Amino acid sequence: MRNVTVAATQMIGGWDVEQNIQRAERLVRDAVSQGAQIVLLQELFERNYFCQKQKPDYLDFATSVEENPAVLHFSKIAKELNVVLPISIYERAGHCLYNTVVIIDADGSNLGIYRKSHIPDGPGYSEKYYFTPGDTGFKVFDTQYAKIGVGICWDQWFPECARCMALMGAELLFYPTAIGTEPHDATIDSSGHWQRTQQGHAAANVTPLIASNRIGKETEGDSEITFYGCSFIADESGAMVQEAGRTEEAVLVHTFDLDAIAATRRAWGVFRDRRIDFYGTVATKDGVTKQPKTQGSN
């Protein structure tokens, strides 16, 4: 038996970085008080989701990992509370800007970074303006409590991301997120689709999945997004074991026996029976043409 307790959180945004960091710390402490050993905060929680509009001034929000206020703050919190914290930041590295997660281990050390691989672009979600596509490839981090894989928001729509992390040994999958209404069409509600897609990743890989989203209405000129929360924890069968509402701040906590889940995964044989000799089509865009390998590809 190897029990690990995880937490998903959700909170409202805002432009005050220090206030948001303090709000996030309160949620982390709440989660740890309930036994959580790995706590997930939402995507880009330092400020409002700034990608609704293409504003050159917002490019200045990016910092190096070493200088980032959230990383500096939560490195101390992780060490104090003996908790693992994946921290989502807007990273500046040379001339490139990335949507990045920094994995802080329970002793406060930096285990490394993952840079968002899939970058969306659409009304209200102009991320291609702000972010360079990630160059790290999918990664798994050997934390004090478990081997974890972390994707970022749009990554969660791609089963290849979850499968790669599972193949690399991830025992838990984490996805920090910022998703809500569509400014161009108020009738679209993707919350259920968003949840079911990730529940499918958990089920297909026989691996629990933890997703954190933000809440609240954020406005940029004539663009408006209401983030719909619905953060959740799914077990290795894809079943929802914890779910937050659409409007309230939340801390969700659940304990998994990773040894028992590993035994279940082996018994199902979904990794034993994979036919990688048939999967070349997945490495094409049009179903035919093979793409050259790029840096960070797995």
Side-chain angles (χ1 to χ4, degrees), residues 46-66:
E46 288 182 278
R47 51 179 57 83
N48 271 1
Y49 178 76
F50 50 84
C51 306
Q52 287 198 54
K53 294 285 188 177
Q54 297 182 9
K55 294 191 173 183
D57 288 350
Y58 289 177
L59 299 172
D60 293 334
F61 291 156
T63 69
S64 68
V65 171
E66 294 75 18

Side-chain angles (χ1 to χ4, degrees), residues 5-121:
T5 302
V6 301
T9 67
Q10 66 180 34
M11 66 184 196
I12 198 165
W15 287 110
D16 188 319
V17 173
E18 181 58 31
Q19 185 177 75
N20 290 334
I21 288 175
Q22 292 301 322
R23 185 181 294 120
E25 179 187 335
R26 176 169 50 78
L27 296 183
V28 169
R29 290 186 180 277
D30 185 351
V32 172
S33 74
Q34 298 181 56
Q37 297 160 298
I38 308 174
V39 180
L40 184 64
L41 295 163
Q42 62 213 36
E43 182 187 19
L44 300 171
F45 66 86
E46 288 182 278
R47 51 179 57 83
N48 271 1
Y49 178 76
F50 50 84
C51 306
Q52 287 198 54
K53 294 285 188 177
Q54 297 182 9
K55 294 191 173 183
D57 288 350
Y58 289 177
L59 299 172
D60 293 334
F61 291 156
T63 69
S64 68
V65 171
E66 294 75 18
E67 298 170 323
N68 180 264
V71 172
L72 292 170
H73 183 87
F74 283 103
S75 294
K76 298 174 184 176
I77 299 300
K79 183 176 183 179
E80 175 195 343
L81 301 178
N82 202 34
V83 62
V84 174
L85 298 172
I87 299 297
S88 172
I89 71 167
Y90 189 15
E91 180 199 4
R92 183 182 70 247
H95 295 297
C96 292
L97 308 177
Y98 295 100
N99 189 332
T100 297
V101 165
V102 182
I103 309 300
I104 302 175
D105 207 358
D107 62 358
S109 63
N110 179 350
L111 291 183
I113 63 171
Y114 165 69
R115 291 170 173 159
K116 188 173 181 176
S117 300
H118 304 93
I119 309 298
D121 187 65

Side-chain angles (χ1 to χ4, degrees), residues 243-266:
E243 180 183 7
R246 300 179 71 100
T247 59
E248 73 271 20
E249 187 175 272
V251 174
L252 310 175
V253 177
H254 193 79
T255 300
F256 293 106
D257 181 346
L258 298 185
D259 286 342
I261 292 170
T264 299
R265 190 183 304 116
R266 287 191 296 270

